[in-house]
Amino acid sequence: MMYTIWRVVGITIGVTAVVGVVVGSLTWGILANRGPPPPELKPLDWWEHTVIYQIYPRSFKDSDGDGIGDLKGISTQLDHLVDIGIGAIWMSPIFVSPMVDFGYDISDFYNIQAEYGTMADFEELVKKAHDLGIKILLDYVPNHASDQSEYFKRSLAREPGYENFFVWADPIIDPNNASNRLVPSNWISEFGGSVWEWSEIRQQYYLHQFAKEQVDFNFRDPAVRNEMLNIMKYWFEKGADGYRLDAVVHLFEADPNDHGGVYPDEPLSGNMFLNPDQAGYTTQEYTKHLIELYDVLYDWREFADGWKDENNSETKILLAEAYANITMTMLYYGVEGGRDGAHFPFNFELINSLSAKSSARDFVYVIKRWLTYMPSGRVANWVFGNHDKNRMPSRFRTNMVDGLNSLSMLLPGVAITYQGEEIGMRDGYVSWEDTVDVAACNQGNPDNYLEYSRDPARTPFHWDNTTNAGFSTNSTTWLPIALDYTEINLKAQKEAKRSHYKVYKSLISLRKQPALSHGSYHIQALSENTFILIRHLITHDTYALLFNVGSEDDTVDLDNVTLLREPLTVYASSVHSSRVDGDTVPWGERGRVTLQAGEAIVLRAPPT
């Protein structure tokens, strides 16, 4: 009897379970057919998914015919930036400067360089940009000042309050000749030669990590730190929306108090390809990336956030120029569970680690590396060029322009464009006679100067095919116009049926899609030459970039890419691609797709 009862109970339980499964299946089937509710999208701060456009003011647009770009020139071309969808512009330094390093040697941090315009011109630019919805970021150079600055003149005279504003050091007496003075250490400047320069007036050496006219502040002096905040506050009040913080890896050098009262020599790096007067010949362990600099950066973030709260303004952002190893670079974001740092350090991995010889696996590794190391909750950024590096098409290949721009725009976070990348501008030729870059002049000669020169990446913007590419009405320009301006210019690309400009513009427009602003990412190499980047978000269209970074045609298999569903429609494609917007891309036999060398296609797929 007991056995029968248990069988009945068992049958009863079994039936209930089956009914539950059936009902659950029916319910899920109904929900699946209706589709899940769309996810609630978290509002983003203005900077978290924007596109930042770097302007090198001398080379953007000349409004007064002197051959040098200026602030009014920028104001006249803001419509171009609105047209392509830029959210913020970052201008290289516009402050008063003797122009030894073209603005990175500032003599007056509170005023505008005369050849760029006036304070009224700056205020007009800020107002016009803000009215158009564009933020203004300034290039702030806290590491050093010009030797023509009042700061240095007062420190040179040992004026009270300025005695220790810069890094001063007594000479070392030559043990073999008491009348011979020796430099305090073997440290080497980034522009070549010793970092130490003798001052007859003060009878001491001063430190300069760059040109001898760029004197390093002493950040162990509280007066220096306070003045840096004063400068930041001044330009916030003028309407600046944030700063790109230049050369912050150099803010501190080894403290002689920690080394027996002397500046310690650095070990040799062992790099046999460098001369004894070139940066990198020593390890630079006492001149870069000292841990003390992070606290200063965190103080600046606290100040910027405090100013925002006190003035009920939008977020003021800080972006750190930080060439460092991946671990040290991530500290610029701040400390997890602790203080915040920069809103992001510039991601130079795409510049430093990739080239025309890189494979698809190299691209995937470099991208995943940044996103893996990046602290939780932070925002990534992607940079392919700037005023210090060869232009993007010149470092890679010209047929990769649209693919590289597509990659920058489809990756999560902030995209950063150096002026001219939207039209595929290449390095211009600058002869030795026309070279003005202090790095090349200090280290180069007529045979090798291009190894050091940054001038080719700084030649003026190509607006059209008229004289001087529409940059200036002057007969000459501060740097020569690149010879290919009649072929590569904005006007021609606006008029062409297909162009880099039109691809670029469509890519920025695509960034408004929720899958790109809020979605997840998946990236993988499909072969040695081709990789796929997928951006997806439940209930929203999926977008994928297929990019052949190789120099030959490549056929890849999409069968194992589970996040894609047919039909696949072309949203954008490289200008040399046979595929055009709106085309359907059939997977073909076993899901195989062939791409030409350098070809990139951005695909739209149904929600996953």
Side-chain angles (χ1 to χ4, degrees), residues 517-532:
S517 61
H518 290 77
S520 300
Y521 71 91
H522 170 77
I523 185 168
Q524 72 180 90
L526 301 177
S527 70
E528 180 68 17
N529 290 329
T530 301
F531 67 84
I532 188 167

Side-chain angles (χ1 to χ4, degrees), residues 36-63:
E40 183 176 345
L41 301 182
K42 172 190 171 186
L44 298 178
D45 203 346
W46 71 262
W47 63 274
E48 292 182 292
H49 189 61
T50 195
V51 179
I52 297 174
Y53 187 94
Q54 183 193 352
I55 289 177
Y56 197 71
R58 296 184 75 79
S59 293
F60 194 61
K61 180 66 175 176
D62 172 20
S63 71

Side-chain angles (χ1 to χ4, degrees), residues 112-241:
I112 303 296
Q113 173 73 359
E115 59 194 350
Y116 292 154
T118 65
M119 187 65 76
D121 294 332
F122 173 77
E123 292 167 348
E124 178 186 351
L125 172 60
V126 170
K127 183 181 186 306
K128 184 174 181 180
H130 284 173
D131 288 346
L132 292 171
I134 296 176
K135 306 294 185 184
I136 298 288
L137 309 178
L138 298 180
D139 210 327
Y140 183 32
V141 188
N143 179 69
H144 48 263
S146 166
D147 61 354
Q148 300 302 307
S149 67
E150 285 300 313
Y151 302 133
F152 186 71
K153 292 175 181 178
R154 292 176 177 181
S155 190
L156 197 62
R158 298 181 189 267
E159 186 174 317
Y162 292 90
E163 307 98 314
N164 299 313
F165 228 64
F166 298 91
V167 180
W168 295 97
D170 293 325
I172 294 177
I173 303 302
D174 186 343
N176 299 317
N177 182 357
S179 63
N180 186 32
R181 60 174 180 264
L182 303 176
V183 294
S185 68
N186 69 344
W187 302 348
I188 300 170
S189 161
E190 293 295 320
F191 290 167
S194 174
V195 301
W196 299 105
E197 186 71 15
W198 178 252
S199 166
E200 284 291 341
I201 296 175
R202 185 151 161 159
Q203 290 292 296
Q204 283 184 305
Y205 284 100
Y206 66 80
L207 182 81
H208 60 93
Q209 294 270 27
F210 296 91
K212 63 183 177 63
E213 296 86 356
Q214 295 168 285
V215 192
D216 276 40
F217 285 116
N218 173 19
F219 270 84
R220 294 192 176 90
D221 185 346
V224 169
R225 296 199 194 190
N226 186 60
E227 180 62 3
M228 295 301 112
L229 297 179
N230 290 339
I231 295 167
M232 291 176 68
K233 177 183 178 184
Y234 179 82
W235 292 104
F236 279 158
E237 291 173 347
K238 287 288 183 182
D241 297 294

Side-chain angles (χ1 to χ4, degrees), residues 556-568:
V556 293
D557 192 336
L558 297 182
D559 266 354
N560 295 323
V561 183
T562 57
L563 290 170
L564 290 183
R565 293 173 52 198
E566 292 192 88
L568 299 180

Side-chain angles (χ1 to χ4, degrees), residues 315 377 417:
T315 301
T417 294

Side-chain angles (χ1 to χ4, degrees), residues 50 53 93 123 172 200 241 257 270 273 285 315 340 359 377 420 425 441 454 463 470 528 543 598:
T50 195
Y53 187 94
E123 292 167 348
I172 294 177
E200 284 291 341
D241 297 294
N257 294 324
F273 298 104
E285 63 191 73
T315 301
D340 287 330
S359 70
M425 277 184 64
C441 294
R454 298 168 294 177
W463 295 102
E528 180 68 17
Y543 292 88

